[in-house]
Amino acid sequence: MTMDSKNPETIALHAGWRRDESTTSVAVPIYQTTSYQFNSTEHAASLFGLAELGNIYTRIMNPTNDVLEQRIAALEGGVAGLAVSSGQAASAFAVQNITRAGDNFVASTDLYGGTWNLFANTMKDMGIECRFVDPSDPKAFANATDDRTRCYYAETLPNPKLQVFPIKEVAEIGRNLGVPLIMDNTAAPILCRPFEHGAAIVMHSTTKFIGGHGTSIGGIIVDGGNFDWEAHKERFPMLNEPDPSYHGAVWTEAVKPMGPIAYIIKARVTLLRDLGSAMSPFNGFQFIQGLETLPLRIRAHSENAATVAEYLSGHDKVGKVIHPSVMDGEARRRADAVLSGGYGGLCGFEFAAGGKEAGQRFIDSLNMFYHVANIGDSRSLAIHPATTTHSQLSPKEQEQTGVTDSYVRLSIGIEHIDDIIGDLDQALATV
Ligand code: PLP
């Protein structure tokens, strides 16, 4: 079905699928298959040679996941998507797709702890240098760029600082230097469309708000189709020079007849083929279910979180509240420039006194909130990052990512607001 609507509520329900042609099934089936019968040896050769696109093997593509890919690409305003096994795999692939040993990339310091570890340690072991810069000054990205810089990387609404990234400013710096901006939009689906602000690639941990029900781990990369890889041949040899792993294909040329999708096709047929981080079609199905109500849910998350931020701001045991709705100055300006329809479901706070013990006692006293390492579930969730998600970082790295001793991260769910505040209130009373 062609998707003419520009409205996320409609796209989330209709993009990429009308019905199953053989059974007329309206729900997207779970194509739980490893393989696909070729019509002939000629057909098989043509698929393997990328002369035509079609199903070969579920490690590389799957019809259930294909609907998810089309739907999220449509929601983001991109040209094509690639579903993978986790958000971590999506972050790694998004960078690795254009970066080799000896190259570097520049990332914001405001990152999820797992992404930080991947970039600072695992990527380093692979010979890829990540240069971390403070996003409060967009020019820091330009200053860290040299001719081996392959991309910029940042989160739209970085958890835990929740200071919205200056997408437009950094994307523009990158475009002038021939460097694409990759945005992790996990915390702000629907609320932000990074391509509209100049980003070239978007990724999500679909594990979070997109899935919404806390059942499945997954990730996706979306190609904006808006970056001219051929105009910067020297910066992107992996897209512009013959690829020995695919009998010498030059991706920007080989893929041209299919549209501006060289980046995402290469990720699929080289990285996914070789590293195998495929999304299971069952998880793809779960994410499709989640997507259907995402536009409604993300509004409810945002409204509840803004009410929680207001409540916490007036509580005498709370020192600082972190949510864009209670920020002012430049942080608020950036939030308003990038987000529309709400400030997201994540909210953090620090205790006025009591440090680490206060944070831990509060978490242990919650009744309804789940104490988990996840975010973006329909249920309300809480965690104490300094002793959990960010505990593998050094004290300096914790500080750079915005995690202090008493910081508590809340992912506000879509329960009734009175029950959310009630649970927070009784837990605060125990500290
Ligand atoms: N990006 C962000 C912003 C995240 O919060 C997370 C996980 O918490 C990830 C990426 C990694 O996603 P996953 O847990 O699906 O691997």
Side-chain angles (χ1 to χ4, degrees):
M1 181 202 174
T2 54
M3 178 38 53
D4 296 329
S5 177
K6 297 273 177 279
N7 300 311
E9 295 81 357
T10 309
I11 296 172
L13 284 158
H14 291 285
W17 178 262
R18 183 63 185 170
R19 61 173 199 172
D20 180 73
E21 286 311 319
S22 53
T23 63
T24 74
S25 165
V26 170
V28 179
I30 304 172
Y31 287 99
Q32 193 69 27
T33 182
T34 56
S35 322
Y36 307 86
Q37 163 86 349
F38 304 123
N39 300 333
S40 63
T41 50
E42 208 173 291
H43 177 226
S46 155
L47 291 176
F48 274 87
L50 296 179
E52 65 179 297
L53 287 181
N55 296 320
I56 298 175
Y57 189 57
T58 282
R59 172 157 31 85
I60 310 171
M61 71 282 283
N62 174 277
T64 309
N65 295 351
D66 177 57
V67 177
L68 178 73
E69 290 162 351
Q70 289 192 51
R71 216 160 262 189
I72 295 181
L75 279 171
E76 287 290 3
V79 290
L82 177 65
V84 290
S85 58
S86 67
Q88 284 298 109
S91 310
F93 278 21
V95 173
Q96 278 178 302
N97 199 34
I98 44 176
T99 312
R100 282 189 180 129
D103 293 341
N104 68 73
F105 66 107
V106 185
S108 164
T109 45
D110 291 1
L111 288 181
Y112 161 61
T115 310
W116 180 289
N117 257 329
L118 166 69
F119 289 177
N121 299 305
T122 303
M123 290 278 191
K124 187 172 166 200
D125 290 344
M126 294 171 172
I128 298 169
E129 181 198 357
C130 179
R131 300 175 174 177
F132 292 100
V133 298
D134 180 350
S136 59
D137 178 13
K139 286 197 293 302
F141 281 80
N143 297 339
T145 304
D146 62 22
D147 56 8
R148 296 294 297 268
T149 303
R150 301 294 180 242
C151 58
Y152 297 156
Y153 189 103
E155 292 179 19
T156 307
L157 184 54
N159 148 38
K161 275 190 199 165
L162 302 179
Q163 295 204 351
V164 171
F165 185 75
I167 306 179
K168 193 162 182 285
E169 291 86 337
V170 175
E172 197 174 307
I173 288 171
R175 282 180 186 272
N176 287 334
L177 296 169
V179 179
L181 172 63
I182 302 174
M183 287 305 305
D184 178 340
N185 202 28
T186 300
I190 310 288
L191 305 176
C192 172
R193 300 201 338 151
F195 296 136
E196 288 176 357
H197 304 277
I201 306 295
V202 166
M203 62 74 52
H204 285 271
S205 163
T206 51
T207 313
K208 311 291 166 10
F209 292 97
I210 287 176
H213 299 89
T215 62
S216 311
I217 300 282
I220 197 159
I221 308 169
V222 182
D223 189 337
N226 61 4
F227 194 85
D228 190 350
W229 308 102
E230 283 181 285
H232 308 283
K233 284 201 160 73
E234 275 161 29
R235 208 181 273 289
F236 304 107
M238 295 170 80
L239 290 172
N240 286 299
E241 288 176 10
D243 184 342
S245 89
Y246 222 98
H247 47 73
V250 175
W251 294 111
T252 44
E253 287 167 16
V255 170
K256 206 171 275 172
M258 303 170 198
I261 55 173
Y263 171 94
I264 206 78
I265 288 280
K266 181 197 167 285
R268 183 185 294 283
V269 301
T270 64
L271 289 176
L272 197 51
R273 175 198 62 182
D274 298 346
L275 299 175
S277 312
M279 178 182 282
S280 113
F282 181 78
N283 284 10
F285 174 82
Q286 296 282 48
F287 295 129
I288 290 168
Q289 306 314 298
L291 263 192
E292 292 195 351
T293 55
L294 177 64
L296 285 176
R297 281 188 288 108
I298 199 73
R299 271 201 295 275
H301 282 291
S302 297
E303 277 166 26
N304 280 350
T307 309
V308 164
E310 197 185 336
Y311 157 79
L312 290 172
S313 300
H315 200 288
D316 57 7
K317 287 189 182 157
V318 174
K320 183 175 173 196
V321 179
I322 298 114
H323 189 256
S325 66
V326 292
M327 289 177 187
D328 49 22
E330 180 62 5
R332 180 59 175 265
R333 188 199 66 76
R334 285 186 182 173
D336 288 334
V338 166
L339 304 177
S340 72
Y343 294 109
L346 302 179
C347 179
F349 72 94
E350 291 169 5
F351 280 89
K356 194 180 280 187
E357 290 69 34
Q360 288 183 301
R361 193 164 329 123
F362 169 82
I363 296 276
D364 285 333
S365 305
L366 288 166
N367 292 327
M368 185 185 78
F369 275 67
Y370 281 88
H371 177 201
V372 296
N374 196 18
I375 56 168
D377 196 315
S378 303
R379 304 159 193 84
S380 289
L381 316 172
I383 201 160
H384 181 240
T387 53
T388 57
T389 51
H390 287 62
S391 59
Q392 284 141 42
L393 305 187
S394 68
K396 184 162 177 277
E397 287 171 334
Q398 284 194 1
E399 193 192 313
Q400 279 177 312
T401 58
V403 171
T404 56
D405 275 355
S406 76
Y407 183 97
V408 171
R409 181 183 78 196
L410 304 172
S411 175
I412 302 300
I414 58 173
E415 301 96 342
H416 195 285
I417 188 63
D418 292 351
D419 298 318
I420 295 172
I421 303 262
D423 198 24
L424 294 173
D425 206 51
Q426 67 76 25
L428 281 166
T430 68
V431 175

